[in-house]
């Protein structure tokens, strides 16, 4: 048994939080990029693309993230890629986030009155211009509260990557716990750190929600 | 490259998978019933005249909603024994899931209660019903109808999150998958099959709840 003071434990946990943050940022950026593609498929004029988008979203929203991470971690090596926990974690969370973001944004696009599309068309804009100049900016603006809300969910989800061996906050906590046998303190502190990361975002989402007019 | 999928092991594994799925369903059934009952009480407490009670409920909801379920589970299963509370893994899983579920459904139920017009309770009180009767017979049924879709989604989300209770050795679906892949060395196929079973379960639970909701709360429930 190693002697750890309370401050040693706290310092190590806070230090490990940088990986939680980095993974959250990478997954959010990746999820936004892939999610945009899925959104295009989901609202496309081609029925088979729409069905693909709907199926993709249903698949990722209808299965546990833990299983998605396991499939990523065990599936890619079979295709001949050596995969580090970090890559599996980032890819797994990216796909997971993309499905949720695409679905949130689709809700925003569908909330816009039909007239917005018609007005764009009457100005002579073609489909992509309409999306880029008229539809998407408005859809992004009205869906800001749920997107910030989802970011909280994503940060919390990074804890699951400890199970496939990614060395973030919770995995560091498990290691410290094995050395100190102080689970009450260690997991209590992990909860506090996650709370400090997530609560301001939750409040921000609430503030945005109050500010966004009902439509 | 050159890997070929092999599902031959499935023959001998159906029993274990069925057992795991049954455990997952049992966990979510307990959690749904307990979680929603508790959240009705909490939502009422949140709206009570007692400031301290209302604040305590609000704090509980915020703490649960802003920390990962897996951390809550570890805190309960590994943390509580150090202050003398030792729980069986299944009990710890149900406790963690219920506490988590209740926090989310407290917000949902609360939104439903707020959505029922004030005139409804005034009318019922004017007819001579007692406060408790008004809540149970007039307000709650109307609120439940409004929030039914949100409750259904929350149940499905919780069922999917329950996969992580495999980490404290509860023998539910994800844990059976862990055991199977260790025995068959077919990890990709095992997780593929089990993931598809989860997909089937989440679709089935949604259908089941919507059909049940229509029966109990009347048409118009989606």
């Amino acid at each position: 048994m190693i002697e750890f003071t309370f401050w040693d434990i706290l310092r190590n946990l806070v230090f490990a939080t940088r990986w939680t943050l980095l993974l959250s940022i990478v997954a959010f950026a990746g999820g936004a990029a892939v999610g945009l593609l899925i959104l295009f498929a989901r609202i496309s004029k081609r029925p088979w693309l729409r069905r693909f988008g709907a199926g993709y979203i249903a698949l990722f929203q209808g299965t546990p993230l833990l299983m998605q991470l396991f499939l990523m971690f065990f599936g890619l090596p079979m295709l001949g890629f050596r995969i580090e926990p970090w890559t599996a974690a980032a890819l797994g969370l990216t796909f997971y986030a993309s499905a949720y973001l695409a679905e949130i944004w689709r809700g925003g696009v569908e909330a816009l009155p039909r007239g917005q599309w018609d007005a764009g068309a009457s100005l002579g804009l073609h489909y992509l211009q309409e999306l880029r100049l008229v539809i998407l900016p408005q859809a992004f603006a009205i869906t800001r509260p749920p997107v910030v809300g989802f970011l909280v969910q994503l940060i919390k989800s990074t804890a699951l990557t400890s199970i496939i061996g990614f060395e973030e906050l919770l995995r560091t906590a498990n290691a410290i716990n094995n050395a100190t046998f102080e689970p009450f303190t260690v997991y209590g502190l992990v909860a506090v750190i996650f709370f400090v990361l997530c609560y301001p975002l939750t409040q921000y989402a609430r503030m945005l929600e109050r500010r966004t007019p009902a439509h | 490259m050159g890997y070929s999928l092999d599902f031959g092991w499935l023959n001998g594994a159906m029993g274990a998978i069925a057992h795991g799925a049954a455990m997952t369903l049992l966990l979510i059934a307990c959690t749904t019933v307990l979680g929603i009952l508790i959240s009705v009480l909490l939502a009422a407490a949140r709206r009570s005249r007692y400031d301290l009670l209302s604040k305590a409920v609000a704090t509980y909801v915020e703490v649960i909603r802003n920390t990962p379920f897996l951390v809550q589970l570890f805190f309960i299963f590994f943390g509580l024994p150090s202050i003398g509370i030792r729980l069986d893994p299944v009990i710890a899983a149900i406790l963690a899931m219920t506490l988590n579920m209740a926090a989310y459904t407290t917000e949902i139920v609360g939104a439903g209660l707020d959505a029922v017009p004030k005139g409804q309770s005034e009318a019922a009180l004017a007819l001579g019903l007692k406060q408790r009767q008004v809540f149970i017979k007039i307000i709650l049924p109307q609120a439940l109808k409004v929030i039914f879709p949100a409750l259904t989604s929350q149940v499905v989300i919780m069922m999917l999150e329950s996969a992580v209770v495999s980490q404290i050795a509860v023998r539910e679906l994800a844990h059976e998958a862990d055991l199977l892949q260790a025995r068959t060395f077919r990890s990709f196929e095992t997780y593929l099959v089990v993931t598809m079973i989860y997909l089937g379960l989440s679709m089935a639970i949604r259908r089941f709840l919507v059909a049940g909701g229509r029966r109990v709360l009347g048409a118009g429930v989606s």
Side-chain angles (χ1 to χ4, degrees):
Chain A
M1 192 141 132
I2 308 163
E3 279 306 315
F4 270 62
T5 68
F6 177 82
W7 296 110
D8 288 333
I9 296 174
L10 183 62
R11 198 186 56 239
N12 278 296
L13 289 177
V14 169
F15 209 53
T17 306
R18 72 192 193 284
W19 293 111
T20 294
L21 280 174
L22 189 63
L23 181 61
S24 304
I25 292 167
V26 168
F28 188 68
V34 180
L36 205 56
L37 296 178
I38 300 302
L39 170 69
F40 289 152
R42 190 72 186 84
I43 61 173
S44 151
K45 284 177 184 145
R46 298 195 179 84
W48 66 270
L49 258 180
R50 278 207 305 276
R51 271 200 299 275
F52 167 78
Y56 181 95
I57 293 168
L59 184 66
F60 282 96
Q61 292 194 338
T63 58
L65 174 61
L66 184 62
M67 294 295 114
Q68 295 165 22
L69 288 171
F70 279 161
L71 280 176
M72 199 63 66
F73 192 57
F74 293 114
L76 285 180
M78 279 183 20
L79 300 172
F81 301 101
R82 282 184 55 121
I83 189 160
E84 304 290 320
W86 161 245
T87 321
L91 278 178
L93 283 179
T94 290
F95 289 128
Y96 170 78
S98 69
Y100 279 86
L101 289 173
E103 183 67 357
I104 291 171
W105 287 331
R106 181 192 64 92
V109 169
E110 281 176 6
L112 297 179
R114 193 61 236 166
Q116 293 293 327
W117 288 93
D118 297 340
S122 71
L123 287 171
L125 300 177
H126 61 70
Y127 183 72
L128 281 181
Q129 283 176 319
E130 261 187 297
L131 272 179
R132 187 165 61 85
L133 299 170
V134 182
I135 304 298
L136 291 185
Q138 297 186 77
F140 289 152
I142 58 176
T143 54
R144 207 166 294 144
V147 167
V148 176
F150 175 71
L151 186 52
V152 173
Q153 199 183 321
L154 190 61
I155 293 173
K156 290 190 293 175
S157 299
T158 61
L160 262 63
T161 63
S162 62
I163 301 171
I164 59 165
F166 178 57
E167 195 77 41
E168 42 62 79
L169 183 51
L170 185 56
R171 193 169 174 84
T172 305
N174 292 339
I176 296 176
N177 181 41
N178 290 339
T180 61
F181 301 110
E182 286 191 58
F184 197 78
T185 312
V186 174
Y187 293 118
L189 281 175
V190 172
V192 169
I193 294 174
F194 269 108
F195 186 84
V196 168
L197 295 180
C198 294
Y199 185 66
L201 285 169
T202 304
Q203 291 301 96
Y204 180 54
R206 259 189 212 134
M207 194 193 78
L208 288 173
E209 210 166 309
R210 274 196 299 271
R211 225 193 268 156
T212 316
H215 45 266
Chain B
M1 281 298 169
Y3 189 91
S4 56
L5 293 176
D6 174 12
F7 292 99
W9 53 271
L10 258 177
N11 274 326
M14 290 316 259
I17 290 177
H19 177 272
M23 188 61 172
T24 291
L25 287 175
L26 180 72
L27 289 176
I28 192 63
C30 293
T31 301
T32 302
V33 173
L34 291 173
I36 291 178
L37 282 178
I38 293 172
S39 64
V40 169
L41 297 177
L42 291 182
R46 180 81 179 92
R47 275 149 192 76
S48 82
R49 281 161 295 170
Y50 306 106
D51 211 34
L52 200 65
L53 187 63
S54 170
K55 284 219 176 83
V57 173
T59 308
Y60 160 73
V61 170
E62 291 300 339
V63 167
I64 297 287
R65 285 173 61 101
N66 288 292
T67 51
F69 173 60
L70 188 55
V71 174
Q72 295 159 14
L73 182 73
F74 281 1
F75 185 79
I76 286 171
F77 187 66
F78 297 121
L80 290 188
S82 64
I83 55 166
I85 305 169
R86 196 169 296 276
L87 297 168
D88 173 80
V90 175
I91 303 293
I94 292 177
L95 179 63
M97 286 171 67
T98 301
L99 287 178
N100 188 280
M101 175 98 172
Y104 285 90
T105 48
T106 295
E107 292 245 305
I108 297 172
V109 170
L113 294 180
D114 292 343
V116 178
K118 225 177 153 47
Q120 292 289 325
S121 62
E122 283 161 5
L125 286 172
L127 286 171
L129 273 78
K130 295 204 176 61
Q131 194 81 46
R132 182 181 304 183
Q133 287 175 311
V134 173
F135 185 74
I136 292 173
K137 294 197 165 145
I138 310 290
I139 310 295
L140 205 51
Q142 296 188 60
L144 282 179
K145 205 164 170 169
V146 177
I147 60 173
F148 199 79
L151 282 181
T152 303
S153 294
Q154 196 55 47
V155 173
V156 172
I157 290 170
M158 196 68 243
M159 191 277 288
L160 297 175
E161 284 213 47
S162 77
V164 304
V165 307
S166 59
Q167 296 304 306
I168 59 167
V170 176
R171 292 195 63 165
E172 41 64 89
L173 193 47
H175 191 70
E176 291 295 352
D178 289 346
L179 298 176
L180 276 174
Q181 64 96 18
R183 209 174 66 213
T184 62
F185 301 109
R186 288 281 165 187
S187 28
F188 183 66
E189 289 94 325
T190 308
Y191 289 120
L192 196 63
V193 167
V194 169
T195 302
M196 289 307 118
I197 293 173
Y198 270 112
L199 184 62
L201 284 183
S202 63
M203 294 195 298
I205 289 177
R206 201 175 280 279
R207 279 217 185 126
F208 172 78
L209 289 178
V210 169
R214 285 217 177 100
R215 259 191 124 156
V216 177
L217 299 167
V221 166
S222 56

